[in-house]
Amino acid sequence: MENIEFEAETYKPFKVQTSAPKKSWAVSLVMKLSGGRVKTEKQASNILLVIIVIFMAVSIYNFTSKNSKPLSKEEIQKLQNSTKELPINNSTLN
């Protein structure tokens, strides 16, 4: 245990980032479009979070709503006939 040697010349410390991280394009866009009302990156991030929550809520409502009516037999027949008439390009199937 007494004969342990270290190679001090091979050790290179990692570089520490000294500059501030860049703003994301979405944060910059919110700050620019706000007309000066959004002053900090944290405010812009919070606004983006609220927008995401609103979009998610609308999406969940649209996917789970019972307001959509089922297709009638005539509509189903039209869809089936329209897909039969589509030309198939054999070169894309290879």
Side-chain angles (χ1 to χ4, degrees), residues 34-53:
S34 72
R37 286 174 273 190
V38 177
K39 294 179 179 33
T40 65
E41 291 180 38
K42 185 169 176 97
Q43 288 176 336
S45 296
N46 289 340
I47 289 172
L48 287 172
L49 184 63
V50 168
I51 290 171
I52 290 170
V53 168

Side-chain angles (χ1 to χ4, degrees), residues 12-48:
K12 295 180 182 177
F14 61 92
K15 294 182 180 180
V16 178
Q17 184 179 4
T18 56
S19 63
K22 294 182 180 179
K23 289 187 244 182
S24 73
W25 64 269
V27 169
S28 299
L29 182 68
V30 169
M31 291 176 78
K32 185 170 104 174
L33 292 178
S34 72
R37 286 174 273 190
V38 177
K39 294 179 179 33
T40 65
E41 291 180 38
K42 185 169 176 97
Q43 288 176 336
S45 296
N46 289 340
I47 289 172
L48 287 172

Side-chain angles (χ1 to χ4, degrees), residues 31-94:
M31 291 176 78
K32 185 170 104 174
L33 292 178
S34 72
R37 286 174 273 190
V38 177
K39 294 179 179 33
T40 65
E41 291 180 38
K42 185 169 176 97
Q43 288 176 336
S45 296
N46 289 340
I47 289 172
L48 287 172
L49 184 63
V50 168
I51 290 171
I52 290 170
V53 168
I54 290 170
F55 276 107
M56 290 298 293
V58 169
S59 298
I60 290 170
Y61 174 76
N62 286 335
F63 285 123
T64 59
S65 68
K66 303 290 182 186
N67 294 337
S68 61
K69 61 180 181 175
L71 294 175
S72 66
K73 291 182 180 182
E74 294 83 20
E75 292 171 327
I76 293 172
Q77 189 66 33
K78 284 181 187 178
L79 287 172
Q80 288 175 343
N81 290 338
S82 66
T83 56
K84 289 179 184 176
E85 297 170 2
L86 292 175
I88 297 176
N89 187 354
N90 290 333
S91 63
T92 59
L93 297 176
N94 294 334

